[in-house]
Amino acid sequence: LIDIGVKHHSVVKYNVLTLITGLIIGFFKGLPLQVSLFYKTKLGDVLLKYYKPGDIVFTHLVRSVPHACNKLILNGFYCEMTDTISRNYSVLKNHVFFPFNFLVGLEERRLKNYEKYCVQKANHTFLVSEKDKIYLGKKSLDHKISVTPLAIDSTKYEPIDWKRTNKYLLIIANFNSIQNFKGTKHFIDNIFPTLSLKFNLKLRLVGNISHKFTKTFSKTDNVHVLGKVSSLSESLSDVICGVCPIHISAGMQTKILDYMAFGLPVLSSTRSIESIDTMFSKYLYKCDNILQYSHYLDLIINQNFISKEELRNCSKLVKSMYSEKSLKQNLMSVVNTSNN
């Protein structure tokens, strides 16, 4: 935090009793669970300790919004929502069974109502996807929402020595989350075996993963679970494509930016690339079934569809468009306009 210019920071501690109390109060107030869970923490008190009149307050995710809804700071309150989590739940409820589908549906409705409330309360709200903005469905609030992409630390990426003879597909993810687990499992069970056989490919999994899920994925031939690494660049040797097979998602998948910043072509589900600029369509291929995966891999491997030089240009473009500097400029431009 100090390295990126943070002058003061505070860690807000809480215990089980705080969480349970928040859940009970939040339930009767009609709040979504993830907002209720942190409802009774001291975040608001800490915020007021540092706040001075005229300061700008950015809240990250909807769970922090109750703590900024104070009369003293509402004039300087901006909500960085990232994505509409309720839109994730609208898909997730179709992938779980009773009674979980009922509970997910209830949480979806409460979340959507609360997300709209956040937009109403904040001076301005930032989302990473135009579809998230449309999903909220409040035309009267459009002027209070900006679509601003996520950012990556452009100093950490150097294009790999990419060759079309490379033999690994790569998935970077937190495999312990339900959307990443389900997407990866579907890919490994139903798509990868055919690709492995047809193109003589292996699959490398990089990211947080439990022992149980490691055993589940490792049962399939040619699937190698690397797990969490200290540096992503360590996992890129002999990789031909990055893969993002998620179907339960909203907003922007930063792993796609990671792949392209390292100079990799990307095979991705349609839902995962909805907020990526269309200028990257040359490097980013929509794959929702085995025929599409096979088609694009054939083009990449056998038909000189893309070159190392083009992928290096893609890396430069991604690091420029999605840099932390670019994001900061976008945010402050909106803030300055709003204040004026």
Side-chain angles (χ1 to χ4, degrees):
L1 290 174
I2 293 172
D3 289 344
I4 63 173
V6 175
K7 293 183 178 179
H8 305 285
H9 75 277
S10 181
V11 177
V12 180
K13 297 182 179 180
Y14 50 85
N15 54 39
V16 174
L17 180 60
T18 303
L19 301 182
I20 293 175
T21 303
L23 283 174
I24 294 171
I25 294 174
F27 177 81
F28 288 105
K29 282 180 170 285
L31 297 175
L33 289 176
Q34 63 177 274
V35 176
S36 301
L37 194 62
F38 302 99
Y39 188 74
K40 293 299 290 181
T41 61
K42 300 296 184 180
L43 178 58
D45 295 339
V46 173
L47 179 57
L48 287 175
K49 175 184 173 183
Y50 287 108
Y51 179 77
K52 296 176 183 178
D55 284 350
I56 293 170
V57 176
F58 278 96
T59 63
H60 178 58
L61 306 180
V62 296
R63 69 190 65 160
S64 61
V65 168
H67 308 281
C69 286
N70 185 294
K71 291 180 181 179
L72 293 176
I73 65 175
L74 274 179
N75 288 335
F77 160 39
Y78 292 79
C79 179
E80 195 283 293
M81 196 180 293
T82 304
D83 55 22
T84 51
I85 303 172
S86 60
R87 194 158 74 92
N88 282 337
Y89 283 38
S90 69
V91 179
L92 176 60
K93 67 184 180 184
N94 299 318
H95 291 263
V96 293
F97 300 105
F98 185 83
F100 300 108
N101 56 350
F102 170 78
L103 296 174
V104 171
L106 176 62
E107 180 73 353
E108 175 207 352
R109 292 189 294 275
R110 290 189 170 196
L111 264 171
K112 189 172 184 179
N113 288 335
Y114 196 78
E115 286 161 349
K116 291 178 180 178
Y117 166 81
C118 293
V119 175
Q120 290 172 335
K121 283 291 184 181
N123 270 24
H124 207 83
T125 295
F126 300 94
L127 291 165
V128 297
S129 166
E130 186 69 33
K131 289 194 175 182
D132 284 313
K133 179 178 176 179
I134 294 170
Y135 175 77
L136 288 180
K138 279 272 189 178
K139 290 291 183 183
S140 61
L141 298 176
D142 276 3
H143 68 287
K144 297 188 69 178
I145 303 175
S146 291
V147 176
T148 305
L150 298 176
I152 57 174
D153 182 355
S154 56
T155 63
K156 294 182 178 180
Y157 299 87
E158 287 298 329
I160 70 165
D161 183 22
W162 185 85
K163 302 182 185 69
R164 61 177 44 87
T165 55
N166 289 354
K167 292 300 180 185
Y168 274 93
L169 298 174
L170 173 68
I171 298 179
I172 299 172
N174 172 16
F175 299 98
N176 297 327
S177 73
I178 188 167
Q179 63 266 37
N180 286 317
F181 173 75
K182 282 186 170 291
T184 303
K185 190 171 189 308
H186 170 75
F187 180 77
I188 289 176
D189 290 348
N190 302 301
I191 294 172
F192 174 68
T194 300
L195 301 181
S196 179
L197 187 63
K198 183 175 181 178
F199 300 104
N200 190 27
L201 295 173
K202 301 174 183 178
L203 176 64
R204 183 178 294 148
L205 305 182
V206 175
N208 288 334
I209 184 168
S210 67
H211 178 67
K212 177 182 177 182
F213 290 167
T214 297
K215 289 179 64 177
T216 299
F217 293 147
S218 298
K219 290 176 183 177
T220 302
D221 290 343
N222 294 320
V223 173
H224 299 167
V225 180
L226 199 57
K228 189 175 182 179
V229 295
S230 57
S231 171
L232 284 178
S233 58
E234 299 172 4
S235 63
L236 299 175
S237 62
D238 207 24
V239 171
I240 188 165
C241 284
V243 179
C244 185
I246 299 174
H247 293 90
I248 307 172
S249 67
M252 177 182 289
Q253 299 299 318
T254 53
K255 61 180 69 67
I256 292 178
L257 300 182
D258 291 333
Y259 295 147
M260 293 194 295
F262 280 121
L264 289 170
V266 184
L267 308 175
S268 173
S269 64
T270 299
R271 192 171 177 93
S272 295
I273 62 175
E274 60 186 25
S275 57
I276 305 291
D277 197 293
T278 54
M279 71 168 58
F280 293 103
S281 58
K282 171 68 176 174
Y283 320 100
L284 185 56
Y285 316 116
K286 295 180 182 179
C287 298
D288 293 312
N289 57 58
I290 194 165
L291 292 178
Q292 291 170 326
Y293 277 103
S294 184
H295 169 70
Y296 282 113
L297 278 172
D298 182 59
L299 290 177
I300 292 167
I301 294 171
N302 299 322
Q303 301 186 37
N304 297 330
F305 185 62
I306 197 164
S307 67
K308 181 194 295 187
E309 290 70 28
E310 288 174 309
L311 291 170
R312 286 182 175 270
N313 288 336
C314 173
S315 174
K316 291 178 183 177
L317 189 58
V318 167
K319 289 188 286 186
S320 172
M321 280 190 63
Y322 296 101
S323 68
E324 292 174 342
K325 180 180 178 181
S326 177
L327 173 62
K328 183 178 179 180
Q329 288 173 341
N330 289 339
L331 293 177
M332 293 313 300
S333 175
V334 172
V335 171
N336 291 333
T337 301
S338 176
N339 286 344
N340 292 334

